[in-house]
C-alpha cells in the first residue's frame, strides 16, 4: 500500500526514526534517551496526524509485528519499543550500533 | 459538582484507588507494583468510560492539580503518578504508609 511504502522510505532515509505519541511517557522516555546520547531522531507523532495516525499504527504492525508506541527504527532496522531500546542501552549496545552506522 | 462528589466518595471509601488508562504502560507499571506488594487497588480505567473519562480526568485535575494518568490515591490522600509512587516504594515508604493505614 502507499502508506506502507512511505513508512519503508522513511525508515530507510532516516538513521533513527521513532513513531511516538506526544502524551505517552514511554515515548517521552525513548525520545529523551536519544537526546541524552546526542542523537536527533526523526519523530513521528501518531496522535497529531488525524485519521492517518491509527492507519500508520496498523501499517507499522503489519511491517514489524509491533502495534504499540513507541516504535523505534535504527538504520532501517526495527529495534522495538521503549523497554527494548533501554535494555539495548544498558548493555552498551545502543551506542555501539549507532557508531557502527556512523550515526551521532 | 456531582462528578467531583463521586470522586471524593470513591477515594474516601477505597484504601487504594488508581485512575488509569488500559493501554498506558505507566498505568500498567503502577497497577503491577501494587499487585507485587499484595495490595488490590480499585482501578478506574478512564478510557473505558466513554465521555465520562475526559470529564473525570478534568475533575481530578481540579481536585489534585494533576491531569495525567495514572493518578494514585492511598487512604484518601493524593499520592501522585507512576514516578511518585515508584519513588515512594524505593524509599521503603509505600509499604510503611500502607501498613500504617492497615491496608494489605
Ligand atoms: N513494552 C513496550 C510497551 C508498549 C506499550 O504498551 N505502549 C502503549 C503506550 S505506553 C501502547 O502503544 N498502547 C496502545 C496505543 O497507545 O495505541 C515498550 O516498552 O515500548
Ligand atoms: N511523571 C508522570 C507522567 C504522567 C504522564 O505524563 N502521563 C501521561 C500518560 S503516560 C498522560 O496522562 N498523558 C495525558 C493523557 O493520557 O491524557 C507519572 O509518573 O505518572
Ligand atoms: S501512554 Fe502512558 S506510558 Fe505510554
Amino acid at each position: 500500500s502507499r502508506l506502507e511504502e512511505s513508512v519503508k522510505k522513511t525508515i530507510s532515509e532516516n538513521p533513527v526514526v521513532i513513531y511516538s505519541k506526544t502524551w505517552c511517557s514511554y515515548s517521552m522516555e525513548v525520545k529523551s534517551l536519544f537526546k541524552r546520547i546526542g542523537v536527533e531522531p526523526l519523530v513521528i507523532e501518531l496522535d497529531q496526524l488525524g485519521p492517518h495516525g491509527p492507519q500508520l499504527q496498523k501499517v507499522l504492525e503489519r511491517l514489524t509485528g509491533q502495534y504499540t508506541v513507541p516504535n523505534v527504527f535504527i538504520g532501517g532496522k526495527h529495534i522495538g519499543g521503549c523497554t527494548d531500546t533501554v535494555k539495548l542501552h544498558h548493555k552498551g549496545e545502543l551506542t555501539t550500533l549507532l557508531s557502527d552506522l556512523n550515526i551521532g
Side-chain angles (χ1 to χ4, degrees), chain A:
Chain A
S1 75
R2 202 186 325 148
L3 207 50
E4 221 168 297
E5 289 314 307
S6 91
V7 171
K8 290 183 187 169
K9 189 173 194 286
T10 298
I11 64 180
S12 64
E13 293 182 353
N14 296 277
V16 183
V17 182
I18 302 172
Y19 291 89
S20 162
K21 289 187 185 179
T22 55
W23 33 255
C24 165
S25 293
Y26 263 35
S27 297
M28 292 178 209
E29 273 190 34
V30 90
K31 281 180 275 185
S32 72
L33 167 57
F34 281 105
K35 186 166 191 170
R36 278 200 306 280
I37 58 184
V39 168
E40 176 144 14
L42 174 70
V43 178
I44 293 146
E45 302 289 2
L46 295 180
D47 57 301
Q48 298 187 327
L49 302 175
H52 287 304
Q55 290 167 8
L56 256 182
Q57 204 166 346
K58 295 215 188 78
V59 166
L60 288 164
E61 181 179 31
R62 212 154 52 229
L63 287 174
T64 65
Q66 181 184 321
Y67 176 75
T68 56
V69 293
N71 204 334
V72 181
F73 296 82
I74 297 177
K77 241 173 99 274
H78 181 239
I79 299 301
C82 175
T83 315
D84 303 311
T85 309
V86 168
K87 269 197 199 128
L88 219 63
H89 187 46
H90 284 167
K91 295 201 270 175
E93 290 177 28
L94 188 62
T95 34
T96 306
L97 174 60
L98 290 163
S99 56
D100 282 356
L101 296 166
N102 278 320
I103 298 166

